[in-house]
Amino acid sequence: MSVAEAVKSRTPTDRLFIGGKSVSPASGQSIEVRNPATGELLGTAPDANPADVDRAVAAARASIESKAWRGKDPSEKEKILWRFADVLEKNLDEMAVLASLENGKTVREALRGDVRPAVDALRYYAGWVRRIYGETIPVDGPYLNFTLREPVGVVGAIVPWNYATLIAVWKIAPALACGCSVVVKPSEMTPFTALKVAEFAMEAGVPEGVVNVVTGYGHTTGEAIGRHMDVDKISFTGSIRTARALLKASAESNLKRISLELGGKNPNILFPDCDRKAALEAAFWGIYANKGEVCSAGSRLLVHQDLHDEFVGMLADRAGRMKVGDPLDPASEMGSQISAAQTEKILSYIESGKREGARLACGGSRLTDGALAKGFFIQPTVFTEVKPEMKIAQEEIFGPVLSTIRFKDAEEAVRIANGTIYGLVSAVWTKDIQLAFRMAQEIKAGSVWINTYNGFDSASPFGGYKQSGFGRDLGAYALEQYTNVKSVWVAL
Ligand code: NAD
């Protein structure tokens, strides 16, 4: 039996994970989950209804009330989170194959960008458990005043399909470090990895009810979490449209607090004195990693006019040679897009680019040769002569489509960089350190990478400006999301 066959045989079909157990749903509805690269049926996942969500929230609440997790000694919690990381690491290869089967990403991307960093995030937050504490504050009068940081309670973690393991863990790990309990809702297209993560939590010794997973569609399961009166906080990663629905649901229910990690139309800015070889590699993977289905994709390449033609020529040449194909083949550099709908969306953006007068330097079509016809493979695409106001320069495509834009000086580059509704990440390439720092100050984005791209570390905060969202995942900043601060006064 191949690894893929073995992984498929172990997918937890038609199950939810509630109260420490794999359980059948109350909902009679289920969703077919297919491998987007082949069309093959992987299994089915319940479309959890409000009764299922109630059950998961009740299990999480019971674990909060019983203090089964939050009441444990900090050193014990730390050990369990370390073990959680160890169990995930032990299952690294299997998880990478499962992530690839669900999503269409290459196994190598699943390992490098999805599962391995999730292991690190668990270890990083294990290290925080014994360091989350308040302050003593000098106040007027005969008082001792100090603060306690307490778990916010039941967290709804609503996650997308592009990095299904990593983003679930980005929320579970800090929530658990802070003593919270979690109800995770993965995307209906990638439900199985989150169910596995919950099993691993139990294997590591996390008490029942602390990590629960309900699968289902956004308008059913997601809405039920968003509107639940006993969910204290939502940590969301996904689209702006869903973010609006969640803010509305919060406003119309219990005013649960919300943090939002949304999309990006990220500028990668190249000055003529940059290290061209490094910039080329970074620009290439910046857009084509995970088939461009990345919120931090460097989808707008801003190139100084003195470098533009030479650089774009090199990039188009490299993109034209990219190996697109079977995600399970370790030699493949790019896999299949997630779905037919996503593929249609990407192709319609390519048409819009052509219509608006951008020039196609390479790619632009779906690949349908042989076995590729069964999946959703798109050629790595580079547009040149893109104007900042074009649709392909303004809207998040979430596919392997790069828009290159020419600029003449730093002021113009900043203006273009800041000229969208988004502000997630950005990059600047130059050897002029003063210019780089000035740009870093001027660009409105949650991350600025100087002479690098896609710098991620569990210790460094990640999140957006403007409509890319608010609140931060990762780093010490994420702990803010999962704790309440209590001010205690003692009359002396
Ligand atoms: P999406 O908003 O459609 O779905 C995200 C999650 O929300 C899914 O689990 C979905 O089922 C759920 N959902 C949908 N409607 C809902 C509703 N009304 N109430 C509650 N939940 C609902 O996004 P997607 O298509 O899965 O993911 C792509 C988007 O995610 C892109 O815009 C991308 O930029 C963004 N993203 C952002 C980051 C980041 O960290 N900033 C990371 C990855 C993806």
Side-chain angles (χ1 to χ4, degrees):
M1 195 194 277
S2 71
V3 180
E5 291 299 329
V7 168
K8 264 183 284 175
S9 73
R10 287 196 282 272
T11 50
T13 274
D14 240 347
R15 311 296 281 175
L16 302 172
F17 198 91
I18 297 178
K21 288 176 217 53
S22 176
V23 299
S24 299
S27 144
Q29 307 296 316
S30 58
I31 302 166
E32 285 190 346
V33 182
R34 292 183 181 274
N35 177 348
T38 61
E40 180 193 13
L41 186 66
L42 292 176
T44 56
D47 183 19
N49 65 16
D52 292 311
V53 170
D54 271 348
R55 200 150 53 116
V57 174
R61 177 61 61 195
S63 71
I64 293 278
E65 295 302 329
S66 70
K67 302 191 182 165
W69 174 247
R70 70 184 172 112
K72 268 196 196 315
D73 280 347
S75 63
E76 184 63 16
K77 279 190 284 204
E78 181 177 342
K79 268 188 229 144
I80 292 172
L81 284 183
W82 262 95
R83 261 205 308 273
F84 190 174
D86 291 343
V87 178
L88 181 57
E89 193 170 46
K90 198 176 74 192
N91 290 280
L92 206 61
D93 292 328
E94 180 158 335
M95 281 295 279
V97 170
L98 183 57
S100 171
L101 291 174
E102 270 186 349
N103 171 281
K105 65 176 69 191
T106 59
V107 178
R108 87 183 198 179
E109 175 62 23
L111 259 183
R112 186 204 64 83
D114 202 348
V115 189
R116 201 170 274 138
V119 173
D120 187 67
L122 283 166
R123 296 216 168 104
Y124 172 77
Y125 284 106
W128 265 110
V129 173
R130 290 198 271 180
R131 291 166 184 79
I132 299 166
Y133 38 64
E135 302 167 306
T136 44
I137 301 170
V139 291
D140 284 356
Y143 301 105
L144 169 66
N145 178 243
F146 61 91
T147 57
L148 298 174
R149 297 197 76 104
E150 300 187 330
V152 79
V154 175
V155 174
I158 301 182
V159 297
W161 43 262
N162 63 335
Y163 286 93
T165 305
L166 182 64
I167 295 175
V169 169
W170 277 5
K171 298 177 186 322
I172 295 169
L176 263 57
C178 293
C180 297
S181 296
V182 191
V183 176
V184 182
K185 193 205 93 60
S187 163
E188 57 279 9
M189 288 181 274
T190 56
F192 298 129
T193 36
L195 288 162
K196 284 278 174 195
V197 168
E199 280 176 26
F200 298 155
M202 293 306 114
E203 192 179 330
V206 174
E208 60 188 43
V210 177
V211 179
N212 308 278
V213 178
V214 284
T215 60
Y217 290 114
H219 63 271
T220 49
T221 319
E223 273 288 318
I225 297 173
R227 293 187 175 273
H228 205 287
M229 293 302 285
D230 206 25
V231 170
D232 299 299
K233 184 225 157 34
I234 298 276
S235 178
F236 173 69
T237 298
S239 63
I240 291 179
R241 189 174 45 86
T242 305
R244 289 188 204 285
L246 285 168
L247 288 168
K248 189 158 180 269
S250 166
E252 290 174 359
S253 58
N254 62 344
L255 299 179
K256 55 182 72 63
R257 57 156 108 168
I258 298 196
S259 50
L260 302 172
E261 297 280 4
L262 311 177
K265 189 73 189 176
N266 310 296
N268 185 12
I269 306 169
L270 273 55
F271 287 92
D273 65 340
C274 69
D275 175 339
R276 293 173 190 201
K277 195 160 164 261
L280 183 68
E281 187 70 9
F284 177 79
W285 287 112
I287 181 65
Y288 301 123
N290 210 52
K291 358 124 196 181
E293 292 169 346
V294 185
C295 54
S296 61
S299 53
R300 287 187 298 155
L301 187 69
L302 276 52
V303 192
H304 189 276
Q305 59 191 14
D306 294 347
L307 177 64
H308 182 277
D309 293 356
E310 179 196 339
F311 192 88
V312 173
M314 289 190 304
L315 187 65
D317 177 59
R318 173 70 180 93
R321 286 183 286 110
M322 188 172 199
K323 190 167 175 344
V324 183
D326 178 5
L328 295 175
D329 178 350
S332 293
E333 293 180 306
M334 190 160 84
S336 162
Q337 309 301 142
I338 182 78
S339 64
Q342 186 67 15
T343 303
E344 284 309 310
K345 184 177 145 199
I346 297 165
L347 293 173
S348 83
Y349 273 112
I350 292 174
E351 286 312 308
S352 141
K354 290 196 240 170
R355 244 188 348 264
E356 286 193 275
R359 193 173 73 75
L360 210 48
C362 82
S365 305
R366 186 167 167 188
L367 291 161
T368 49
D369 289 348
L372 297 189
K374 291 191 190 152
F376 307 110
F377 297 87
I378 294 183
Q379 290 175 320
T381 299
V382 177
F383 273 111
T384 62
E385 310 308 331
V386 178
K387 299 285 169 272
E389 60 281 3
M390 288 179 183
K391 217 168 140 179
I392 56 166
Q394 288 291 323
E395 297 180 16
E396 184 184 50
I397 299 175
F398 229 55
V401 181
L402 180 67
S403 299
T404 63
I405 304 173
R406 200 187 293 262
F407 69 88
K408 64 176 185 309
D409 57 26
E411 285 64 37
E412 187 181 21
V414 167
R415 209 167 43 246
I416 297 171
N418 289 340
T420 73
I421 61 166
Y422 292 108
L424 190 60
V425 302
S426 60
V428 180
W429 293 79
T430 172
K431 296 200 177 89
D432 178 343
I433 194 161
Q434 287 169 311
L435 172 63
F437 285 176
R438 269 204 319 276
M439 298 286 290
Q441 283 180 329
E442 296 297 324
I443 295 171
K444 296 190 181 78
S447 300
V448 182
W449 293 307
I450 297 174
N451 296 328
T452 183
Y453 202 89
N454 266 336
F456 278 92
D457 191 290
S458 303
S460 182
F462 178 69
Y465 278 37
K466 303 195 284 182
Q467 291 185 45
S468 290
F470 50 79
R472 292 291 176 267
D473 278 333
L474 299 179
Y477 291 88
L479 302 171
E480 305 288 328
Q481 308 295 338
Y482 302 101
T483 49
N484 274 323
V485 177
K486 182 179 277 173
S487 177
V488 183
W489 291 74
V490 186
L492 297 175

